[in-house]
């Protein structure tokens, strides 16, 4: 796997399933009848919660949050706990932006990144309940023009296949197209050019694969995604500060600023517009609103005496649909993914649903739901992934279940999450040749080169040398001569963290005929022809 965010073996999206679960205890025999409810597991298969554990965990929570913020350098966080249908804890901590006094409170709106996925699954379940769509509907039924690189998968891939990342699309499919400015429609159209892996027996986390499933749900409802999200979920639950459209986030006066990690310190100033992958990563909200979403899930889809989601429609999202991390030995645990949720059974024999979200450009979030305790916790932060939200939820759930903290959760999570900052490109860590071979006259490289997948790449000559321009976003990167026909660029984007360094290699007799950009070439498609 390549090393950009969302593309690591232990990326933030899987950690809650792979690490916060201690072991799997006995489950009901197949002959037993299990009710279709979120907490359906016989009490004898669960270790009792610690006596007074909830009270202890709630009392300890402010100090636990403050400690993690101090250790991590994360500027601000908001936390909410729902139990028994009520909000039993909601509080903001720290500041919205470093160097400014405005505090984070319970109304502060955050970008929640991939925590958007379980919300998108909830919206789909509402539409399944309404009879507009089924988890088993082929994507073609609702998106007749959509295709991937295999005719069988195109015809048979279902809404559920794309919501569970088992479609066979490669990891992070389409993310680099988003980085250089392509819109959702174009990105989904170009997924057909990517090589596939095994259908339904593989797991490759893909924001745009997930978005494909959500687009099918929206098409079945006859609405755009942000319209459907508002009408199906946010409106009925009174989530007035929540949106699936970035422009709405920018209108909030009380909003959190992103902070990205650079040279070991968080800095403000970056922005992240995730509209093109909105179902997968584009929700903005506060903890007051998100508490209402938790209450809906924990109430088996009922709100004010009305059924918004039937348990039969929601349950498939909350049980294993794919191996997110198959066990490598007989002594290892496997990780599982449902439809938009990490799903597991924890050390107490209790079903556990979770998801993390992160932007390297400056956000990290985590949700954990423990249905058998009728409880959910959400942590939102305004800094890139360093393990802070996961450490807070792990600490809290330890006290709730065991009455004591079993480990230093931040020390455990921090190094795992730091992998998200590994720079990309083949020149990272390399030293430029002391006596490089000369380049051709720079004018010979100038021109427009084309790629069916990435679109045109323009090489122009500026005052300081060559400049590479990519995509509809006209992303410009100065080029530095490295050796012969090889130049270097230092990309910086959501999928190219600080410190990335990539080669740009020209080939051809006479004037160069092709150019290859290494950091974009995961699928072998980053070769442009003049």
């Amino acid at each position: 796997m390549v090393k950009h965010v969302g593309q690591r073996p232990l990326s933030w999206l899987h950690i809650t399933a792979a690490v916060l679960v201690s072991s799997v205890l006995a489950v009901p025999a197949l002959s037993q009848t299990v009710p279709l409810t979120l907490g359906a597991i016989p009490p004898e298969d669960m270790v009792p919660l610690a006596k007074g554990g909830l009270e202890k965990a709630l009392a300890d929570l402010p100090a636990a949050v403050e400690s993690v913020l101090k250790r991590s350098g994360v500027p601000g966080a908001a936390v909410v706990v729902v139990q028994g249908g009520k909000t039993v804890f909601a509080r903001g901590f720290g500041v919205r932006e470093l160097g400014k006094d405005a505090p984070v409170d319970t109304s502060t709106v955050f970008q929640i990144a991939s925590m958007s996925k379980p919300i998108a699954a909830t919206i789909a379940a509402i539409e399944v309940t309404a009879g507009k769509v089924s988890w088993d509907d082929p994507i073609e039924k609702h998106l007749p023009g959509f295709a991937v690189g295999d005719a069988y998968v195109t015809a048979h891939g279902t809404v559920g296949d794309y919501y569970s990342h088992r479609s066979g699309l490669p990891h992070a499919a389409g993310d680099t197209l988003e980085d250089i400015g392509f819109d959702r429609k174009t990105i989904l159209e170009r997924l057909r050019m990517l090589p596939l892996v095994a259908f339904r027996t593989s797991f490759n986390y893909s924001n745009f694969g997930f978005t494909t499933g959500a687009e099918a749900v929206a098409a079945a409802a006859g609405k755009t995604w942000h319209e459907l999200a508002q009408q199906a979920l946010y409106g009925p639950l009174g989530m007035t500060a929540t949106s699936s459209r970035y422009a709405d986030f920018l209108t909030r006066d009380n909003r959190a600023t992103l902070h990205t990690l650079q040279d070991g310190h968080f800095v403000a100033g970056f922005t992240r517009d995730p509209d093109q992958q909105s179902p997968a990563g584009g929700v903005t909200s506060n903890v007051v609103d998100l508490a209402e979403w938790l209450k809906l899930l924990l109430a088996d889809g009922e709100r004010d005496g009305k059924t918004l989601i039937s348990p039969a429609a929601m349950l498939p999202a909350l049980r294993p649909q794919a191996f997110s991390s198959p066990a490598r030995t007989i002594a290892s645990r496997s990780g599982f993914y449902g439809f938009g949720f990490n799903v597991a059974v924890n050390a107490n024999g209790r079903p556990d649903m979770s998801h993390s979200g992160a932007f390297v450009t400056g956000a990290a979030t985590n949700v954990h739901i423990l249905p058998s305790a009728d409880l959910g916790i959400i942590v939102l932060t305004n800094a890139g992934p360093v393990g802070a939200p996961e450490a807070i939820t792990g600490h809290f759930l330890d006290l709730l279940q065991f009455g004591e903290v079993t480990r230093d959760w931040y020390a455990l999570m921090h190094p795992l999450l730091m992998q998200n900052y590994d720079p990309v490109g083949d020149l990272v860590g390399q030293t430029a040749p002391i006596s490089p071979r000369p380049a051709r006259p720079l004018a010979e490289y100038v021109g427009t080169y084309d790629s069916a997948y990435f679109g045109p790449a323009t090489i122009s000559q500026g005052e300081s040398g060559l400049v590479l321009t990519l995509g509809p976003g006209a992303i410009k990167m100065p080029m530095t001569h490295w050796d012969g026909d090889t130049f270097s660029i230092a990309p910086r984007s959501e999928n190219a963290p600080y410190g990335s360094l990539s080669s740009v290699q020209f080939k051809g007799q006479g004037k160069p005929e092709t150019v290859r950009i290494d950091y974009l070439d995961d699928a072998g498609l980053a070769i442009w022809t003049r």
Side-chain angles (χ1 to χ4, degrees):
M1 293 185 182
V2 296
K3 293 186 177 180
H4 17 308
V5 67
Q7 294 182 288
R8 293 165 166 72
L10 282 173
S11 61
W12 37 266
L13 54 104
H14 299 139
I15 283 185
T16 50
V19 179
L20 297 186
V21 180
S22 297
S23 65
V24 178
L25 299 185
V27 296
L30 293 176
S31 59
Q32 288 182 264
T33 299
V34 182
L36 290 177
T37 59
L38 299 187
I41 186 168
E44 62 268 20
D45 287 312
M46 297 179 186
V47 176
L49 297 175
K51 186 176 181 180
L54 177 60
E55 293 75 13
K56 187 174 184 179
L58 291 173
D60 176 78
L61 191 50
V65 175
E66 295 284 7
S67 173
V68 169
L69 294 189
K70 182 177 180 180
R71 293 172 70 184
S72 66
V74 170
V79 182
V80 69
V81 179
V82 167
Q83 201 279 328
K86 298 179 180 179
T87 299
V88 295
F89 183 96
R91 183 171 162 184
F93 300 84
V95 295
R96 298 179 220 160
E97 183 175 346
L98 280 172
K100 298 185 178 180
D101 295 332
V104 171
D105 58 31
T106 57
S107 296
T108 301
V109 178
F110 290 77
Q111 293 184 257
I112 71 171
S114 279
M115 219 182 83
S116 303
K117 290 180 176 70
I119 291 176
T122 306
I123 293 165
I126 292 171
E127 297 307 294
V128 171
T129 301
K132 299 289 183 66
V133 70
S134 164
W135 292 114
D136 294 327
D137 278 354
I139 291 291
E140 268 197 333
K141 178 179 179 180
H142 305 295
L143 300 177
F146 178 78
V148 290
D150 182 282
Y152 182 89
V153 179
T154 295
H156 294 87
T158 65
V159 171
D161 289 327
Y162 287 87
Y163 263 80
S164 57
H165 307 292
R166 64 188 186 203
S167 69
L169 283 168
H171 202 84
D175 280 5
T176 50
L177 292 180
E178 181 191 26
D179 280 353
I180 62 176
F182 283 99
D183 62 20
R184 186 186 309 175
K185 179 176 181 294
T186 302
I187 295 170
L188 298 192
E189 286 173 350
R190 295 188 182 183
L191 294 181
R192 70 187 67 195
M193 301 181 195
L194 296 171
L196 302 185
V197 295
F199 180 44
R200 289 186 181 149
T201 59
S202 62
F203 178 90
N204 283 319
Y205 191 90
S206 167
N207 289 314
F208 285 98
F210 189 94
T211 297
T212 297
E215 283 289 280
V217 173
K223 298 178 175 67
T224 65
W225 178 257
H226 74 265
E227 289 171 344
L228 176 61
Q230 177 60 38
Q231 294 175 26
L233 184 64
Y234 310 153
L237 295 192
M239 298 170 67
T240 57
T242 305
S243 175
S244 290
R245 184 167 49 187
Y246 184 67
D248 295 334
F249 174 68
L250 296 179
T251 67
R252 316 295 189 195
D253 292 331
N254 185 356
R255 67 178 186 270
T257 296
L258 300 182
H259 296 81
T260 193
L261 198 62
Q262 189 166 303
D263 289 329
H265 302 281
F266 283 114
V267 296
F270 286 82
T271 59
R272 175 74 168 96
D273 178 353
D275 270 358
Q276 308 317 321
Q277 55 162 278
S278 177
V283 175
T284 57
S285 189
N286 61 29
V287 291
V288 173
D289 279 9
L290 292 171
E292 300 308 308
W293 167 60
L294 285 180
K295 291 171 188 176
L296 177 70
L297 293 179
L298 290 166
D300 284 340
E302 288 195 5
R303 175 76 172 195
D304 298 329
K306 298 179 181 179
T307 298
L308 287 184
I309 313 173
S310 70
M314 194 72 223
L315 184 62
L318 298 168
R319 65 188 179 203
Q321 298 290 343
F323 282 95
S324 56
S325 53
R328 297 183 181 182
T329 71
I330 60 173
S332 303
R333 298 184 304 274
S334 291
F336 303 96
Y337 201 86
F339 296 147
F341 290 83
N342 291 308
V343 293
V345 178
N346 69 18
N348 280 345
R350 296 175 183 274
D352 179 303
M353 297 85 186
S354 64
H355 214 290
S356 287
F359 293 146
V360 161
T361 41
T365 60
N366 183 249
V367 57
H368 258 270
I369 304 168
L370 205 62
S372 61
D374 201 9
L375 180 140
I377 178 172
I378 289 173
V379 179
L380 309 179
T381 74
N382 59 353
V386 292
E390 294 83 2
I392 293 166
T393 57
H395 184 102
F396 177 85
L397 292 171
D398 265 3
L399 287 173
L400 168 73
Q401 296 175 94
F402 310 118
E404 60 182 293
V405 180
T406 63
R407 67 201 72 193
D408 182 338
W409 283 100
Y410 184 72
L412 175 67
M413 305 305 298
H414 178 67
L416 297 175
L417 273 293
M418 288 302 291
Q419 296 177 68
N420 289 303
Y421 296 95
D422 289 350
V424 300
D426 57 331
L427 300 182
V428 173
Q430 301 296 312
T431 301
I434 297 175
S435 301
R437 292 170 295 169
R440 311 179 198 208
L442 295 187
E444 293 190 13
Y445 299 104
V446 171
T448 298
Y449 301 74
D450 195 52
S451 159
Y453 184 70
F454 286 104
T458 301
I459 308 295
S460 58
Q461 188 169 354
E463 293 181 3
S464 300
L466 298 179
V467 177
L468 168 67
T469 303
L470 289 175
I475 307 300
K476 295 184 182 296
M477 288 177 270
M479 300 167 60
T480 301
H481 183 246
W482 186 270
D483 184 38
D485 283 337
T486 298
F487 292 75
S488 68
I489 54 173
R492 186 78 186 274
S493 68
E494 180 62 34
N495 295 287
Y498 178 73
S500 296
L501 191 67
S502 170
S503 67
V504 178
Q505 301 171 343
F506 294 89
K507 289 186 178 181
Q509 301 298 321
K511 284 188 175 182
E513 298 169 0
T514 65
V515 58
R516 177 184 176 274
I517 303 174
D518 178 82
Y519 88 100
L520 295 173
D521 205 26
D522 299 330
L525 298 176
I527 297 177
W528 284 255
T529 302
R530 190 193 290 268

